Amino acid sequence: MNRPRVYRTLSVTTKEAITALSKELKLSESALVRRIFEAALVAVESGELPIEPQPVPVKMTLFPPGEEPGWSYDPDPANAKASVEEKSPCQRPPQTSAAYRVRQSTHRKMKALAGRHEVTIGNLANYFLEWGLDAYAKGKRKFSDDEH
């Protein structure tokens, strides 16, 4: 039996789509995810699915744009928290984690691939899942019981 592997930073919408598709195909989520991961690894090896990570610009500053240096005090902590949330320059899409029973060999291949491309395994898993969902929607992949 394959033990559960936890994949972090998955898109909430991707996870919900996996849940819906697994119900449609009458498969467990783990079985569907395993099939997508294995098909994605084959697609990467054949050149069908490119792995091209993009750098994310990172800039550190003590004074966010539009905020002048200087000290101010508001005795109400709720105002301080609200102002931080309002001024957040980059909003990430909602993320979650999920545990799927994936073969150890598949997980190891994904971990090695993620390491070679300097991305997290969660990021790679999300990429593979989105590719699989898209391929299914376009009729390129079935992921049914007869297709492995």
Side-chain angles (χ1 to χ4, degrees):
M1 175 72 77
N2 300 316
R3 73 178 181 88
R5 314 276 179 190
V6 177
Y7 299 96
R8 293 177 177 77
T9 67
L10 296 180
S11 159
V12 171
T13 55
T14 301
K15 185 176 181 320
E16 290 170 351
I18 289 295
T19 301
L21 183 57
S22 69
K23 287 178 183 176
E24 179 184 322
L25 296 175
K26 296 182 174 92
L27 293 170
S28 70
E29 287 183 38
S30 289
L32 176 60
V33 167
R34 177 182 50 80
R35 290 171 187 194
I36 290 173
F37 286 171
E38 290 172 358
L41 285 168
V42 169
V44 167
E45 289 172 9
S46 71
E48 176 189 347
L49 179 60
I51 303 290
E52 300 169 347
Q54 302 296 312
V56 178
V58 177
K59 180 180 177 184
M60 301 300 288
T61 180
L62 296 173
F63 303 102
E67 211 176 277
E68 294 180 14
W71 185 77
S72 65
Y73 174 73
D74 186 345
D76 185 5
N79 290 339
K81 186 174 183 181
S83 67
V84 169
E85 289 173 2
E86 290 169 6
K87 294 176 184 174
S88 179
C90 77
Q91 292 292 325
R92 287 178 146 179
Q95 295 178 339
T96 188
S97 61
Y100 299 115
R101 293 186 179 276
V102 176
R103 290 184 179 124
Q104 184 175 4
S105 60
T106 301
H107 182 78
R108 283 184 179 162
K109 287 177 186 175
M110 288 177 60
K111 196 171 179 179
L113 185 62
R116 279 196 306 274
H117 292 282
E118 298 178 350
V119 297
T120 66
I121 191 163
N123 189 250
L124 183 68
N126 199 68
Y127 181 67
F128 281 1
L129 293 175
E130 288 184 8
W131 170 83
L133 291 166
D134 186 57
Y136 179 82
K138 291 178 179 175
K140 293 179 180 178
R141 303 281 177 170
K142 294 182 183 178
F143 304 117
S144 59
D145 279 332
D146 57 353
E147 183 183 315
H148 290 67

